[in-house]
Amino acid sequence: MSTPSPAPSPGPGPGLEDASAPVSQDVIEIERALTRIVYLTGRVRQHDRLMAMAGVSLDRAAVALLRQIADSEPMRPGELAARLAVEASHVTRQVQQLQKGGYVTRVPDPDDRRAQRIELTPAGQEAIDRIRMAGCRGMELALANWSPEELRQLSTLFHRMVDDFLHTEVRLEDEDASSRPA
């Protein structure tokens, strides 16, 4: 492993670092690997293969929404949009399509009866379970030579990284909001 370079100094914009400041070689390699993973898993052909293995016909945006709903309690469309970092109108359209397909339903919000939350139907839960199992089968093939300890470490580090990315995203959004003129 290489020795990390000094941390960059704050640069021109809120939450942004000086683009010319040195970056650790480890961070560069992590960024490269993640870029490759995102490319490989985000390809249309890969998505189509996953849907065929799962026996489900949903687009990538619908799958992302179903995964988010499955991983949480029922939530309002605005909360879903925030978690997925997309516009609320995007979620509204997706929810309408998923509702027509029988994958989600709207339920009253117990905290505010005027509002509604989105939850999976049994068909939606079955679809997401099948998609996840198909994805896990492919991952098991790719990671077949990894030890159980290596898999645990990778899982732990990935979850930590996602949490850190989310925390940074919230901090940057807060800084952006505070730097805007009133």
Side-chain angles (χ1 to χ4, degrees):
M1 288 210 160
S2 62
T3 304
S5 299
S9 58
L16 301 176
E17 303 300 332
D18 181 359
S20 64
V23 176
S24 117
Q25 189 62 37
D26 292 331
V27 170
I28 291 169
E29 290 304 317
I30 291 167
E31 190 275 338
R32 288 180 68 215
L34 285 175
T35 299
R36 290 178 66 201
I37 289 170
V38 168
Y39 170 75
L40 292 170
T41 59
R43 295 180 302 171
V44 171
R45 186 171 62 184
Q46 176 64 22
H47 175 79
D48 292 346
R49 185 181 306 128
L50 179 65
M51 293 301 101
M53 287 174 60
V56 176
S57 180
L58 292 169
D59 65 29
R60 290 183 286 183
V63 172
L65 190 63
L66 282 180
R67 284 180 185 271
Q68 183 61 57
I69 296 167
D71 288 344
S72 61
E73 296 293 319
M75 64 180 74
R76 294 179 184 183
E79 293 171 304
L80 280 168
R83 290 210 182 167
L84 293 169
V86 297
E87 296 295 323
S89 61
H90 172 76
V91 168
T92 300
R93 284 190 301 274
Q94 283 296 324
V95 166
Q96 289 170 347
Q97 291 301 313
L98 289 169
Q99 195 171 11
K100 286 178 188 173
Y103 295 105
V104 300
T105 189
R106 295 173 187 265
V107 296
D109 184 332
D111 299 328
D112 180 355
R113 297 309 242 178
R114 297 167 297 169
Q116 295 182 324
R117 294 183 182 202
I118 310 303
E119 73 177 7
L120 291 180
T121 62
Q125 186 64 59
E126 180 184 345
I128 205 63
D129 289 346
R130 292 172 69 158
I131 291 166
R132 285 185 170 151
M133 285 307 299
C136 287
R137 282 193 298 272
M139 198 168 293
E140 273 186 331
L141 286 171
L143 303 175
N145 294 323
W146 289 48
S147 73
E149 180 58 26
E150 288 172 320
L151 293 173
R152 265 190 299 284
Q153 287 175 345
L154 181 63
S155 174
T156 298
L157 292 171
F158 264 138
H159 282 288
R160 179 179 169 191
M161 185 174 64
V162 168
D163 291 346
D164 289 347
F165 273 65
L166 291 172
H167 175 75
T168 300
E169 182 70 21
V170 168
R171 183 177 56 80
L172 291 174
E173 286 175 2
D174 289 347
E175 287 178 13
D176 286 346
S178 68
S179 68
R180 285 189 211 121

